[in-house]
Amino acid sequence: MAGIIDKAKGFVADKIANVPVPDAAVNDVDLKQFNLDSLDLHAKIDVNNPYPCPIPICEIDYTLKSATRVIASGTIPDPGSLKAKEKTLLNVPVKVPYSIVMNLVRDIGRDWDIDYELAIGLKIDLPVVGNFTIPLSTKGEIKLPTVSEMIFGNKEEVVTHVDSKGKADH
């Protein structure tokens, strides 16, 4: 009897080990807004669902680090579902409070960018298997806008001269 139970356990373990799971990748991390309140980033994640039915996403956890310090973390509860047999694009908004950005001034002061590491846990509810977390991480740097870009807009739009009639040269 014990032999049959061991064979059944082995069979189930083999079947679960070979169950296809969705795969995911972080495509991009963009600076969306930088103002006196916060620094807003958006991480774009592509998730490929191999199943013929939608899969619910339970939650998305994220942690943003710079110079090994956690500068933002959070959880997005119930962000929706993965499309059946398709790639789903997920946007993960990350808000870094301005006070924390100013604490990073040593790193920013050298090259006017923030070196970062973003860790994301995408928790999904797989049929039969249950909750499953897809771990993702990416490293990079975010170039911050200069003070003149924040005030006047993009570099190409910066006013270089205003004549006596009030006409601006760009």
Side-chain angles (χ1 to χ4, degrees), residues 5-170:
I5 291 174
D6 288 339
K7 284 183 181 181
K9 284 181 184 177
F11 177 77
V12 170
D14 285 344
K15 291 297 179 187
I16 289 177
N18 295 323
V19 169
V21 294
D23 57 31
V26 178
N27 281 343
D28 197 15
V29 178
D30 287 330
L31 172 64
K32 287 296 177 190
Q33 187 175 12
F34 182 52
N35 56 39
L36 296 178
D37 179 45
S38 64
L39 172 80
D40 294 336
L41 307 172
H42 281 196
K44 295 177 184 169
I45 302 170
D46 275 333
V47 186
N48 189 24
N49 178 5
Y51 293 103
C53 59
I55 296 177
I57 304 170
C58 301
E59 65 184 22
I60 300 173
D61 295 316
Y62 63 87
T63 303
L64 179 67
K65 293 181 180 180
S66 181
T68 69
R69 292 187 330 194
V70 174
I71 60 173
S73 64
T75 299
I76 301 169
D78 193 23
S81 296
L82 301 177
K83 296 175 188 169
K85 285 281 192 190
E86 282 188 40
K87 196 176 276 191
T88 302
L89 176 66
L90 300 174
N91 281 315
V92 179
V94 178
K95 185 176 274 241
V96 180
Y98 183 75
S99 60
I100 292 176
V101 173
M102 288 300 101
N103 287 335
L104 298 171
V105 81
R106 285 188 305 262
D107 182 39
I108 294 171
R110 284 185 300 209
D111 48 12
W112 207 242
D113 65 20
I114 296 176
D115 299 319
Y116 71 88
E117 180 178 353
L118 178 62
I120 297 174
L122 180 63
K123 189 183 291 184
I124 57 176
D125 187 11
L126 287 177
V128 179
V129 176
N131 285 351
F132 179 79
T133 300
I134 302 172
L136 302 164
S137 68
T138 187
K139 292 180 180 181
E141 63 181 32
I142 297 170
K143 202 75 163 155
L144 297 176
T146 63
V147 174
S148 64
E149 288 173 339
M150 287 175 57
I151 294 171
F152 299 112
N154 199 352
K155 288 180 185 176
E156 289 81 32
E157 298 171 1
V158 174
V159 175
T160 56
H161 175 71
V162 177
D163 66 19
S164 61
K165 295 179 183 173
K167 186 173 179 177
D169 293 333
H170 295 276

